[in-house]
C-alpha cells in the first residue's frame, strides 16, 4: 500500500520552474468512518488493496444489485482476485451497511 | 419472505416510483460538504472523498473567480499507485506506433524544442454534480466542485505528432499516464483520440497558471483537450501510441458513457446503447454568496460566479430572484477565450426579508441554455448534470 507521493517544494516550485523535484512526500491517510458489520474483515482484506474506504461510502446508499455489480466490476474489469464466496459476502456487507433497501 | 422484502424495498422507493418516469430526474447537487482538515500535498484543505486514489473537490466559494488556484483545483485519479517520485532528468514522453521516427522527449525538450502555446480551459469531471440525480446514480457523489479553470501552457499535440511523422495508416492515438493499478492484469487508464479530434487546441501541458503542474493534477505533463470532460485529459502523460485501429479499452468502452439517445437518459435498471461523454454542455455556477449566507436588506451585494460550455462561448448569464419567473442579465467579465470560465457579476439589493433564492442560468452563443434541475433526466453514471444553479440565503 503505497501512500507516499512526491510533491514539489512549493516555494521553490513557484520561484523556479526548473526546480529539481526529488523528494518523496506522503499523501495523507484519511480515516474515513466506515461502518462495522458482518464480513467487514473481507472488505478490509479485499477492497483496501486498491482503494480507500472513502471510495465505498461516498457512493451513497445503493441497491443490492448495484453493489453486486460493483464487486463484479472489480473482479471482471479490474482483475481483483476475489473468490466467488468472498464476492457474495462482501456484497452482503455492502447491501447491509450502505444499502437503500432496494433489491 | 422474499415477497415481503421485495414489498419493503418497493415501499422505500415509492417516493420516486409512484410519480412515474419523469421523477427519475434531478434535484440540486449536495452543497456545503465539509472541507477536510487534512491538506494534501500542494493543496489547501479541500472536500475529500478518498485518499487513495486521491479525490478532492473545490468548495463553492472558489468559483467566485474565473481562474481556479492550483492549490484549490480538484483532483481525481483512477488507480491506486501514482509514482512517488518523478525525476525530470530521466522522465520521458514516448511516441511510438505508426510513426516514421519514435520519439523520447524530456520535459525540457518539450519546453525548448517546440513552440509554446497557452490556453485558458475548463477541466470538469463528467460526474461533476452527480449527487443531484435521484435515485442515486453510480459513482462518487460529487457536489459541483469537480471542475476548475486554469491557464495551461504547453505544446500542440499536432506539433509532437508532426515531429514523429505519422505513417499513412495512422488513425488513432492512445494516451497512457504513469499511474498504475495494484494488479498487473488491471487495464491501464488509457484514452484514445481519433486524429480528426486533434485540432490545434489540444495540447500537452507542462504548466498550469504559470507554475509547474501540481503533482496531483498530473505533474510533469498532462493532456489538455479544451471543451471536453476531464476523463480524456490523461495525467502524468508518459506514452503516445499511434495505431490504425481503435484499441478496445475499458475506460472508453465501459466507463464514462451515457445513453445514445436524444435525451441522453434512461430509467434505472434499463440498459440502452451508450456513447462516450465528450463535449461539455452549458453550465453556470454561483461562487458568492454561498448557501446559508446572510445578506442585508436594502444593501448591495455583488453576486459572483462562472459560466462555460464546450467552446461555443457564453452569450449571457441570467439571474432570477423570484424562482425563475423573471430573469435579470448579469454583467460578464473579461473574455479569457472560448474554453475558459466566463466570470459574471450582478449587484443585488435584497428588497424582502427572510429566505431568498438566487438562480443562475447560462446561455451560450449557439443558443443552448441550462435547463432547470428538475428537467434533467436520469442516466446510470450521473453524467453531464448542468441544471440551473440555486443558492438560498437569508436576508436580515
Amino acid at each position: 500500500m503505497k501512500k507516499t507521493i512526491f510533491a514539489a517544494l512549493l516555494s521553490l516550485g513557484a520561484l523556479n520552474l526548473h526546480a529539481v523535484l526529488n523528494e518523496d512526500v506522503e499523501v495523507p491517510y484519511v480515516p474515513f468512518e466506515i461502518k462495522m458489520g458482518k464480513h467487514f474483515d473481507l472488505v478490509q482484506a479485499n477492497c483496501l488493496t486498491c482503494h480507500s474506504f472513502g471510495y465505498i461510502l461516498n457512493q451513497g446508499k445503493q441497491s443490492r444489485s448495484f453493489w453486486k455489480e460493483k464487486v463484479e466490476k472489480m473482479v471482471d474489469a479490474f482483475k481483483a482476485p476475489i473468490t466467488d464466496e468472498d464476492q457474495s459476502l462482501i456484497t452482503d456487507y455492502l447491501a447491509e451497511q450502505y444499502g437503500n433497501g432496494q433489491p | 419472505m422474499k415477497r415481503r422484502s421485495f414489498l419493503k424495498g418497493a415501499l422505500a422507493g415509492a417516493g420516486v416510483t409512484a410519480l412515474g418516469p419523469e421523477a427519475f430526474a434531478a434535484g440540486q447537487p449536495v452543497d456545503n460538504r465539509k472541507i477536510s482538515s487534512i491538506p494534501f500535498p500542494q493543496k489547501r484543505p479541500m472536500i475529500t472523498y478518498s485518499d487513495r486514489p486521491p479525490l478532492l473537490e473545490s468548495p463553492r466559494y472558489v468559483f467566485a473567480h474565473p481562474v481556479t488556484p492550483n492549490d484549490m483545483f480538484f483532483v481525481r485519479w483512477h488507480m491506486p499507485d501514482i509514482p512517488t517520485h518523478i525525476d525530470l532528468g530521466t522522465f520521458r514522453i514516448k511516441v511510438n506506433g505508426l510513426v516514421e521516427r519514435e520519439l523520447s522527449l524530456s520535459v525540457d525538450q518539450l519546453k525548448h524544442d517546440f513552440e509554446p502555446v497557452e490556453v485558458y480551459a475548463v477541466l470538469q469531471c463528467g460526474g461533476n454534480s452527480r449527487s443531484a440525480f435521484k435515485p442515486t446514480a453510480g459513482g462518487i457523489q460529487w457536489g459541483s466542485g469537480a471542475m476548475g479553470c486554469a491557464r495551461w501552457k504547453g505544446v500542440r499535440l499536432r506539433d509532437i505528432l508532426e515531429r514523429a511523422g505519422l505513417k499513412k495508416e495512422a488513425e488513432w492515438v492512445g494516451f497512457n499516464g504513469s499511474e498504475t493499478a495494484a494488479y498487473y492484469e488491471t487495464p491501464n487508464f488509457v484514452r484514445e483520440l481519433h486524429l480528426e479530434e486533434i485540432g490545434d487546441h489540444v495540447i500537452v501541458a507542462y504548466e498550469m497558471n504559470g507554475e509547474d503542474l501540481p503533482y496531483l493534477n498530473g505533474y510533469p505533463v498532462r493532456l489538455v483537450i479544451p471543451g471536453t470532460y476531464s476523463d480524456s485529459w490523461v495525467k502524468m502523460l508518459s506514452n503516445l501510441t499511434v495505431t490504425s485501429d481503435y484499441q478496445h479499452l475499458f475506460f472508453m468502452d465501459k466507463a464514462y458513457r451515457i445513453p445514445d439517445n436524444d435525451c441522453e437518459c434512461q430509467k434505472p435498471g434499463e440498459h440502452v446503447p451508450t456513447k462516450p461523454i465528450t463535449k461539455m454542455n452549458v453550465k453556470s455556477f454561483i461562487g458568492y454568496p454561498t448557501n446559508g449566507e446572510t445578506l442585508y436588506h436594502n444593501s448591495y451585494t455583488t453576486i459572483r460566479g462562472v459560466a462555460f460550455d464546450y467552446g461555443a462561448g457564453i452569450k449571457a448569464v441570467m439571474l432570477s430572484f423570484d424562482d425563475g419567473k423573471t430573469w435579470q442579465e448579469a454583467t460578464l467579465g473579461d473574455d479569457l477565450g472560448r474554453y475558459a470560465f466566463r466570470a459574471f457579476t450582478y449587484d443585488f439589493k435584497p428588497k424582502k426579508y427572510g429566505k431568498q433564492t438566487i438562480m443562475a442560468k447560462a446561455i451560450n452563443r449557439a443558443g443552448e441554455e441550462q435547463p432547470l434541475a428538475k428537467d434533467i433526466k436520469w442516466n446510470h453514471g450521473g453524467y453531464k448534470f448542468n441544471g440551473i444553479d440555486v443558492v438560498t440565503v437569508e436576508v436580515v
Side-chain angles (χ1 to χ4, degrees):
Chain A
M1 262 202 282
K2 277 184 199 154
K3 279 204 302 280
T4 58
I5 196 174
F6 153 89
L9 291 170
L10 272 178
S11 53
L12 284 179
L15 289 171
N16 180 0
L17 296 176
H18 304 286
V20 179
L21 310 169
N22 56 4
E23 245 183 50
D24 278 15
V25 175
E26 278 214 359
V27 161
Y29 166 74
V30 179
F32 289 100
E33 286 179 29
I34 187 100
K35 291 181 190 168
M36 293 299 138
K38 205 173 167 193
H39 306 307
F40 173 72
D41 55 323
L42 294 176
V43 172
Q44 201 163 26
N46 286 289
C47 308
L48 277 187
T49 316
C50 294
H51 60 78
S52 69
F53 288 140
Y55 219 89
I56 296 172
L57 55 92
N58 284 308
Q59 302 276 327
K61 295 215 177 286
Q62 298 282 4
S63 67
R64 171 173 286 271
S65 59
F66 173 92
W67 287 121
K68 184 167 179 289
E69 260 176 48
K70 283 286 155 176
V71 173
E72 283 167 1
K73 178 173 146 186
M74 296 306 139
V75 176
D76 297 340
F78 294 101
K79 313 297 175 194
I82 309 175
T83 64
D84 288 351
E85 195 195 346
D86 283 4
Q87 284 181 51
S88 117
L89 297 175
I90 290 169
T91 302
D92 286 348
Y93 162 88
L94 292 168
E96 208 152 289
Q97 304 302 329
Y98 293 99
N100 61 7
Q102 304 272 9
Chain B
M1 174 65 190
K2 263 194 180 149
R3 187 162 177 270
R4 263 186 67 189
S5 59
F6 170 74
L7 285 174
K8 204 174 139 201
L11 208 65
V16 279
T17 48
L19 296 172
E22 60 279 1
F24 295 122
Q28 284 300 309
V30 173
D31 194 35
N32 288 354
R33 270 214 180 86
K34 199 167 149 265
I35 294 168
S36 170
S37 56
I38 304 171
F40 276 55
Q42 294 176 291
K43 299 284 176 186
R44 279 182 268 168
M46 296 175 70
I47 298 163
T48 302
Y49 293 97
S50 170
D51 51 347
R52 199 172 48 89
L55 303 178
L56 311 174
E57 177 181 320
S58 312
R60 183 183 280 273
Y61 72 82
V62 169
F63 304 103
H65 303 284
V67 178
T68 312
N70 288 2
D71 62 3
M72 287 300 271
F73 210 101
F74 90 99
V75 169
R76 199 271 191 257
W77 290 80
H78 295 81
M79 299 294 171
D81 287 332
I82 307 168
T84 56
H85 182 112
I86 296 266
D87 177 359
L88 284 192
T90 55
F91 186 88
R92 294 291 181 272
I93 302 110
K94 300 219 163 76
V95 184
N96 49 38
L98 295 172
V99 292
E100 301 293 345
R101 294 164 291 279
E102 291 201 349
L103 302 181
S104 176
L105 301 165
S106 68
V107 175
D108 220 46
Q109 279 175 295
L110 276 188
K111 287 180 178 174
H112 297 105
D113 297 357
F114 293 86
E115 185 190 350
V117 291
E118 285 190 305
V119 61
Y120 281 97
V122 175
L123 177 68
Q124 181 186 212
C125 175
N128 190 27
S129 311
R130 176 180 287 133
S131 57
F133 286 93
K134 306 281 180 268
T136 310
I140 295 293
Q141 296 303 303
W142 296 103
S144 298
M147 64 175 185
C149 176
R151 178 165 50 94
W152 309 92
K153 183 177 180 183
V155 176
R156 285 182 208 96
L157 177 56
R158 266 191 180 170
D159 291 352
I160 296 174
L161 295 175
E162 234 162 68
R163 177 142 331 176
L166 294 176
K167 289 194 171 163
K168 244 191 8 234
E169 320 87 87
E171 292 274 343
W172 293 87
V173 186
F175 303 88
N176 194 7
S178 301
E179 58 179 327
T180 53
Y183 301 108
Y184 176 74
E185 299 84 1
T186 307
N188 276 324
F189 188 77
V190 174
R191 299 294 294 183
E192 284 179 275
L193 289 178
H194 191 268
L195 287 180
E196 281 177 359
E197 300 173 83
I198 305 174
D200 278 345
H201 63 304
V202 180
I203 67 173
V204 174
Y206 47 75
E207 262 182 46
M208 183 173 166
N209 293 328
E211 296 175 1
D212 288 348
L213 296 176
Y215 200 84
L216 292 172
N217 293 108
Y219 178 86
V221 292
R222 79 175 301 165
L223 204 54
V224 167
I225 313 172
T228 69
Y229 288 100
S230 61
D231 55 302
S232 297
W233 297 38
V234 176
K235 290 184 289 299
M236 225 172 249
L237 181 63
S238 54
N239 198 290
L240 283 66
T241 303
V242 181
T243 58
S244 57
D245 295 312
Y246 173 75
Q247 313 293 302
H248 288 275
L249 302 160
F250 173 78
F251 285 101
M252 288 186 74
D253 296 340
K254 300 272 172 60
Y256 295 112
R257 296 177 74 90
I258 42 158
D260 188 10
N261 52 34
D262 286 346
C263 66
E264 299 184 337
C265 70
Q266 68 204 115
K267 287 177 197 161
E270 183 187 27
H271 290 275
V272 294
T274 59
K275 62 185 176 187
I277 57 167
T278 50
K279 290 201 306 186
M280 298 192 292
N281 48 17
V282 63
K283 188 164 179 167
S284 67
F285 195 62
I286 298 165
Y288 181 83
T290 58
N291 275 305
E293 287 203 59
T294 301
L295 302 188
Y296 285 89
H297 183 254
N298 244 355
S299 174
Y300 278 113
T301 291
T302 303
I303 295 166
R304 293 179 185 278
V306 295
F308 63 101
D309 71 345
Y310 55 86
I314 294 302
K315 188 168 84 183
V317 175
M318 309 299 288
L319 299 181
S320 177
F321 304 95
D322 56 9
D323 301 318
K325 288 197 246 339
T326 62
W327 294 88
Q328 323 296 323
E329 193 161 355
T331 305
L332 296 183
D334 290 344
D335 187 350
L336 299 176
R338 63 198 193 109
Y339 300 114
F341 273 159
R342 189 77 190 261
F344 67 85
T345 57
Y346 185 89
D347 287 329
F348 174 54
K349 196 182 202 178
K351 294 286 189 196
K352 59 174 182 118
Y353 291 99
K355 290 241 180 298
Q356 169 72 59
T357 57
I358 304 167
M359 299 168 82
K361 168 171 79 170
I363 303 162
N364 70 4
R365 291 186 185 127
E368 294 153 332
E369 66 178 72
Q370 277 179 271
L372 289 164
K374 71 173 178 60
D375 294 330
I376 292 180
K377 302 281 194 286
W378 195 85
N379 69 77
H380 69 280
Y383 293 125
K384 295 185 72 172
F385 176 86
N386 70 334
I388 288 173
D389 193 28
V390 184
V391 159
T392 306
V393 297
E394 187 79 23
V395 179
V396 296

